[in-house]
Amino acid sequence: RRGPSFEASHELATGPVTSPPRTVDGFVREFLDQLNFGQGVKLSQSTINDQYLALARTVRSYLMASWLETGHRRRKNPTRIVGYLSAEYLLGRQLGNNLLASDLQGIAEQAMEQCGIDMAALRGQEVEPGLGNGGLGRLAACFVDSLATMDQPCIGYGIRYEYGIFRQTFVEGRQVEEPDSWLRLGSPWEFPHPERAVQVGFGGHTETSVDEDGTEHTRWVPAWQVRGVPYHYMVPGFRNGVVNTLRLWSAEANQAFDLQTFNAGDYAQASRAEIFAENISKVLYPDDSTPQGKELRLQQQYFFVACSLRDFIENTLPRDVDLRELPQRIIFQLNDTHPVIAVPELMRILVDEKGFDWDEAWDITQQCFAYTCHTLLPEALEVWPVDLLGRLLPRHLEIIYRINEEFLLEVRDAFPGDEGRVRRMSIIAEQPQRAVRMAYLATVAGAKVNGVAELHSQLLRDDVLPDFHAMWPEKFTNVTNGITPRRFLYLANRRLSDLINETIGTGWVTDLEQLRQLEPYADDADFRQRFRDVKHANKERLSKLLRVRDGIELSQDHLLDVMVKRLHEYKRQTLKLLHVVSVYEGVLSGRTPIDQVTPRTVLFGAKAAPGYHMAKEIIFLINSVAETVNTDPVMDGRLQVLFPANYNVTLAEKVIPAADLSEQISLAGKEASGTGNMKFALNGALTIGTLDGANVEILDLVGEDNFFLFGMTEPEVEELRQRGYVPSSFYEADPVLKATIDLIGSGHFTGGDRGAVSAVLDNLLNHDPFMALAGFGSYLEAQDRVERAYADPEAWSRSTILNVARCGFFSSDRSMRDYLDRIWLPGDA
Ligand code: 73E
């Protein structure tokens, strides 16, 4: 460390950092410096990867002054900052985003041209950091983008997985996973800070002692320790000179070798501890919505929150701040239950390490956390068996027990004599094994609990946490999810952005409600034509990409019908597939004349959790249907099914702007919010959807005439379940459904092999937990409405424009405003 005397006597050490000149020449000079002195190559000898790395580092150096300045400003001005705790950040590519934020796109393009470099090739060189599974991780990335754009202090805390979400390939129609080695060619966007490493303990035991005045003190003696090394990422606001920080933790061994063993000559054995430690941040768990309850997963969770709390308290919070003021300095937002072990960790720090008495520590802790729940599926609510938790974190388990004891006293106080309620509300479940219910712990500890869409928050109050709602109604609130307009409109859909900019100016980029000004243009024939031209050009762009990326041909003049999201039964990819097969079967059987089939391309994108057998069978079925339908001359090219492998943020940015129809067809009450639904609507696709998650709010805003609604409501679903749902009765009663299922069952799509699809069909006919068969009739009817509407291009365009104009609400800037007003800084508003 530099001493203060050095700093004080050297202007150079303390003065502002200057950026390279914002000119094409300045950019070229910085780029060549990065290439020569950073990569150690001359331009003439450089590879595309050298050039990409140098370009990234060039953009970085333009953002650096703002980053340092933002940090300086934040340190001078003590306010409550947001510590977003998330096990996932699905960032997507950084280059385009950071060029956009720093307003360097034009300069960079020209500079690369001057150097004779194809900028598009450099963009294509970036491997996206896929440090998340789906919506939950992408939401975290949108939120930190919005907070930077709003100049709100935030540190995003998470895990720097060495391997992100697996790369999906198909082998004979079946999903095969490959490791995502995203760091292999270098990662120019991260800044390792080994000097800021912190220690994290695991295992061991606790010791209790009594001091002179008879007070008990407990101390945790961990059995082993790992080092958490932070890697910092820039989170630039949109052209506002703000750069916040994302701090991702990587696990390292304290010592590469066990020295005794090393000296004894057993070199392989001597590196065991290193392998053990580094395993912790090795790979992202690829389960979306259904956590597996594996020990390594709990290690990951504790690892990153322990690092984050330690880092904040010891390295970010100024030394002179009294910890009683912690709630004035930080609010930790718990992104689902994954980081909830932070609650007993903060209690442990305050009580065991800092000497607070229990009640005071609990009072502080309760003000420092808020909890967001992202699901309703009971199997998705995390529980940790007490034996596992006690083995890994013995002190934390003791603390959880004490929190529970005191909480249950409160319950007995509020509801005397109601022991059933006490059992129901206990943080410790007794059946099927003793386990800690993390959602309950989060609800008890959190100052606020929120769901992610209106319907979801209501179901949370009514069905998931009703007893807690009865006890603390004011704790519960809603914040509907949002998406960042920078990445998902400006960057992804440059053509539409240009049209919007020309029409209403650029204010929408940071104030998305301004899109309302587009409403009158829905009635302007010239504008509608230009809107269609944009869509057409986006389809062409996608078509080119898919040709190169996947070797598939997208028919240009088809209705592009898109269902992209994780593969999960509740999302009902099978319902979409039944629709596809019914169209095909109609033609095959002669029920539908071929010239009455609306030319349509159905595009799927979906990864299945590697251990989710049914989901993988559904992928195989989709690929089987695609192969048959695409090559059967009977369809005359009018129906095409595409399933490009490895759907990710990068592909989403090309697919969404090209889509005509957005499939949001989960069974009502199952999709907490959805965020893809918002991205499509904002890019001028119309939604066919159920009354689920944020679809409800989209429908409300765009109006029934501009949305294809179908299916049961959540109460209707419940009622049908109560009455006793018999899927086969729908099969028997609907001849089209019967013919559709029979065609699949005949082996038509699997080369005559009936067994190959029987798992999916048996499940549909005999269980159908998400009522795809019950939804089939109304879904087909809604698809008829889609086709009639699509046949009138002017009316269709009008609707799509109104969708864009009316979806400004779904900006993640608005979500962040709501979090600030309702959760983070209530009373400041
Ligand atoms: O409805 C989505 C929601 O839009 C929900 O399924 C998803 O979160 C999105 C953002 O709020 C979600 N992911 C998970 N739970 N809910 C999850 C659970 C365990 C592991 C990974 C992800």
Side-chain angles (χ1 to χ4, degrees):
R1 279 195 168 207
R2 278 187 200 126
S5 58
F6 178 88
E7 297 241 336
S9 62
H10 286 261
E11 177 86 21
L12 280 172
T14 54
V17 167
T18 47
S19 300
R22 295 180 66 88
T23 60
V24 175
D25 280 351
F27 197 99
V28 169
R29 186 162 296 275
E30 179 68 22
F31 172 74
L32 291 176
D33 276 356
Q34 293 290 351
L35 201 54
N36 300 154
F37 302 109
Q39 280 304 104
V41 289
K42 291 176 94 169
L43 179 57
S44 57
Q45 300 300 309
S46 59
T47 63
I48 287 191
N49 197 56
D50 289 323
Q51 294 164 9
Y52 161 68
L53 293 175
L55 175 58
R57 293 208 183 94
T58 303
V59 177
R60 240 174 58 159
S61 44
Y62 279 91
L63 285 165
M64 186 54 77
S66 300
W67 202 12
L68 296 171
E69 175 56 28
T70 304
H72 182 66
R73 208 154 46 82
R74 302 269 193 252
R75 280 190 294 276
K76 272 198 328 207
N77 180 19
T79 52
R80 193 181 209 194
I81 83 169
V82 176
Y84 200 77
L85 294 177
S86 178
E88 304 190 5
Y89 290 88
L90 192 46
L91 295 171
R93 283 182 176 166
Q94 298 296 290
L95 177 60
N97 184 256
N98 293 354
L99 280 170
L100 179 73
S102 55
D103 202 4
L104 285 165
Q105 281 176 320
I107 288 178
E109 298 273 353
Q110 290 177 54
M112 290 306 99
E113 207 185 307
Q114 246 181 49
C115 297
I117 291 173
D118 173 13
M119 178 101 163
L122 300 199
R123 290 181 194 275
Q125 188 65 19
E126 179 170 2
V127 182
E128 71 168 76
L131 309 184
N133 270 288
L136 172 141
R138 182 55 235 178
L139 188 76
C142 285
F143 281 3
V144 293
D145 176 271
S146 283
L147 287 171
T149 294
M150 296 159 75
D151 194 8
Q152 280 294 328
C154 166
I155 303 174
Y157 287 110
I159 302 175
R160 178 183 177 272
Y161 300 104
E162 195 178 328
Y163 295 89
I165 185 68
F166 63 85
R167 225 167 54 88
Q168 178 192 52
T169 59
F170 296 134
V171 176
E172 290 174 7
R174 296 194 175 272
Q175 170 174 298
V176 172
E177 303 88 22
E178 285 174 4
D180 159 54
S181 35
W182 70 286
L183 294 166
R184 201 176 38 190
L185 291 177
S187 49
W189 302 107
E190 63 182 15
F191 294 78
H193 280 281
E195 80 292 349
R196 264 182 91 137
V198 300
Q199 294 292 321
V200 181
F202 290 95
H205 63 277
T206 62
E207 285 171 1
T208 301
S209 58
V210 180
D211 68 15
E212 312 81 85
D213 5 305
T215 353
E216 277 196 356
H217 296 280
T218 304
R219 197 170 69 93
W220 175 29
V221 187
W224 42 283
Q225 304 248 351
V226 303
R227 222 158 67 95
V229 178
Y231 286 68
H232 296 178
Y233 292 74
M234 293 171 161
V235 183
F238 180 75
R239 299 180 188 175
N240 63 352
V242 174
V243 180
N244 281 344
T245 299
L246 181 61
R247 184 164 290 145
L248 303 184
W249 297 96
S250 177
E252 286 186 8
N254 279 311
Q255 277 186 336
F257 297 106
D258 167 354
L259 285 179
Q260 256 176 11
T261 319
F262 185 82
N263 290 330
D266 188 349
Y267 295 166
Q269 180 67 8
S271 65
R272 227 174 40 117
E274 185 183 23
I275 293 167
F276 188 79
E278 290 179 353
N279 253 339
I280 292 177
S281 55
K282 184 67 74 183
V283 56
L284 169 77
Y285 271 91
D287 297 292
D288 188 80
S289 306
T290 41
Q292 289 293 307
K294 292 272 173 23
E295 178 158 359
L296 181 59
R297 170 85 171 163
L298 183 58
Q299 288 173 11
Q300 292 185 336
Q301 296 182 349
Y302 178 63
F303 167 72
F304 98 87
V305 301
C307 289
S308 305
L309 294 196
R310 178 69 70 210
D311 176 79
F312 183 78
I313 292 171
E314 309 297 345
N315 298 334
T316 303
L317 195 68
R319 292 242 163 254
D320 58 349
V321 175
D322 189 319
L323 285 178
R324 274 172 298 205
E325 284 169 36
L326 201 56
Q328 280 78 62
R329 299 304 190 109
I330 187 83
I331 174 76
F332 287 113
Q333 188 66 35
L334 302 165
N335 198 24
D336 216 275
T337 52
H338 318 151
V340 169
I341 197 70
V343 169
E345 173 66 0
L346 182 58
M347 285 300 287
R348 188 190 66 79
I349 292 172
L350 293 176
V351 175
D352 298 0
E353 291 186 5
K354 307 288 181 186
F356 280 80
D357 72 43
W358 179 274
D359 290 342
E360 197 172 11
W362 183 237
D363 184 54
I364 294 169
T365 298
Q366 281 190 300
Q367 297 176 67
C368 286
F369 289 103
Y371 162 52
T372 305
C373 175
H374 291 266
T375 190
L376 288 162
L377 306 179
E379 69 270 26
L381 295 175
E382 274 188 305
V383 292
W384 290 107
V386 298
D387 53 349
L388 193 164
L389 207 147
R391 213 177 335 114
L392 196 68
L393 301 167
R395 180 58 181 144
H396 297 77
L397 183 60
E398 289 176 7
I399 290 170
I400 292 168
Y401 279 143
R402 169 112 188 244
I403 292 172
N404 195 39
E405 259 168 48
E406 308 221 344
F407 162 62
L408 294 180
L409 287 178
E410 235 185 290
V411 176
R412 289 196 172 93
D413 227 36
F415 302 94
D418 193 347
E419 280 307 301
R421 183 183 295 265
V422 171
R423 260 194 309 281
R424 284 203 306 274
M425 295 181 80
S426 175
I427 295 170
I428 309 296
E430 301 294 336
Q431 296 295 337
Q433 55 179 332
R434 268 175 83 80
V436 181
R437 296 162 160 156
M438 301 308 270
Y440 290 12
L441 178 57
T443 304
V444 171
K448 292 281 177 183
V449 176
N450 76 287
V452 290
E454 291 289 352
L455 173 67
H456 173 239
S457 295
Q458 197 53 49
L459 293 171
L460 207 56
R461 289 183 269 242
D462 294 348
D463 298 348
V464 184
L465 300 167
D467 294 318
F468 293 88
H469 179 243
M471 193 153 158
W472 300 305
E474 66 296 333
K475 240 191 211 199
F476 287 76
T477 186
N478 170 252
V479 178
T480 298
N481 283 166
I483 60 169
T484 171
R486 269 75 63 187
R487 180 176 292 269
F488 289 107
L489 192 47
Y490 209 140
L491 253 195
N493 200 343
R494 207 40 203 261
R495 292 183 184 88
L496 183 55
S497 314
D498 287 347
L499 176 58
I500 297 172
N501 290 346
E502 249 181 70
T503 313
I504 62 167
T506 59
W508 60 271
V509 181
T510 51
D511 178 12
L512 204 59
E513 290 282 5
Q514 289 191 25
L515 292 178
R516 282 273 173 194
Q517 297 165 37
L518 291 174
E519 268 198 38
Y521 293 90
D523 295 318
D524 174 336
D526 177 55
F527 188 83
R528 287 199 301 267
Q529 184 57 50
R530 297 180 69 189
F531 204 89
R532 280 194 296 275
D533 293 345
V534 165
K535 191 56 88 181
H536 188 81
N538 289 338
K539 278 189 194 179
E540 230 153 51
R541 177 180 69 161
L542 176 63
S543 158
K544 278 194 194 132
L545 174 77
L546 292 180
R547 194 173 301 138
V548 176
R549 182 187 186 274
D550 305 271
I552 51 188
E553 281 300 318
L554 176 78
S555 303
Q556 275 298 300
D557 43 359
H558 282 196
L559 185 161
L560 182 56
D561 175 354
V562 182
M563 183 161 192
V564 286
K565 49 187 79 244
R566 285 298 288 254
L567 202 311
H568 207 295
E569 288 165 276
Y570 82 77
K571 296 178 190 276
R572 300 203 292 190
Q573 277 93 353
T574 44
L575 179 55
K576 175 75 258 174
L577 194 66
L578 289 175
H579 167 240
V580 168
V581 173
S582 76
V583 172
Y584 175 62
E585 192 278 331
V587 176
L588 264 192
S589 66
R591 189 177 64 246
T592 324
I594 186 68
D595 60 355
Q596 278 180 29
V597 175
T598 300
R600 185 196 289 250
T601 293
V602 177
L603 189 149
F604 287 96
K607 290 180 183 176
Y612 187 173
H613 181 247
M614 188 58 69
K616 290 181 128 178
E617 291 298 310
I618 294 168
I619 285 182
F620 175 67
L621 187 54
I622 297 172
N623 279 324
S624 305
V625 168
E627 192 174 335
T628 310
V629 168
N630 294 348
T631 52
D632 192 333
V634 77
M635 290 314 294
D636 198 23
R638 283 178 171 247
L639 180 60
Q640 198 182 24
V641 181
L642 303 181
F643 194 170
N646 201 42
Y647 178 67
N648 59 9
V649 176
T650 306
L651 183 58
E653 289 169 12
K654 297 291 192 295
V655 166
I656 293 169
D660 295 307
L661 187 63
S662 158
E663 298 277 351
Q664 309 299 336
I665 61 178
S666 52
L667 179 65
K670 300 299 173 191
E671 188 69 271
S673 162
T675 43
N677 47 4
M678 303 166 186
K679 294 166 196 166
F680 281 100
L682 264 169
N683 279 278
L686 301 188
T687 305
I688 182 165
T690 50
L691 282 174
D692 201 12
N695 295 354
V696 178
E697 289 157 74
I698 295 176
L699 171 65
D700 257 10
L701 283 162
V702 306
E704 278 179 31
D705 297 342
N706 307 302
F707 188 111
F708 303 99
L709 177 65
F710 77 98
M712 292 178 277
T713 62
E714 193 275 333
E716 286 165 356
V717 168
E718 266 329 292
E719 198 196 281
L720 177 54
R721 209 182 293 290
Q722 292 295 316
R723 275 207 318 269
Y725 173 53
V726 183
S728 57
S729 67
F730 286 85
Y731 165 84
E732 299 294 349
D734 179 344
V736 174
L737 177 58
K738 184 165 188 306
T740 299
I741 289 187
D742 288 348
L743 184 62
I744 300 172
S746 73
H748 184 83
F749 301 102
T750 44
D753 181 356
R754 294 156 180 241
V757 290
S758 62
V760 178
L761 286 192
D762 287 353
N763 187 251
L764 277 181
L765 285 168
N766 301 317
H767 307 286
D768 193 17
F770 302 102
M771 300 182 175
L773 302 198
F776 182 79
S778 62
Y779 182 50
L780 256 62
E781 179 275 322
Q783 289 288 2
D784 280 345
R785 276 184 277 141
V786 168
E787 296 187 353
R788 282 199 297 279
Y790 194 69
D792 179 351
E794 296 300 339
W796 183 276
S797 300
R798 189 173 178 281
S799 279
T800 63
I801 293 164
L802 290 177
N803 265 260
V804 176
R806 293 172 179 175
C807 281
F809 176 76
F810 297 108
S811 169
S812 47
D813 302 347
R814 188 272 315 150
S815 304
M816 291 296 85
R817 182 52 47 225
D818 287 350
Y819 273 91
L820 286 162
D821 293 347
R822 295 171 197 171
I823 299 173
W824 297 335
L825 305 172
D828 271 31

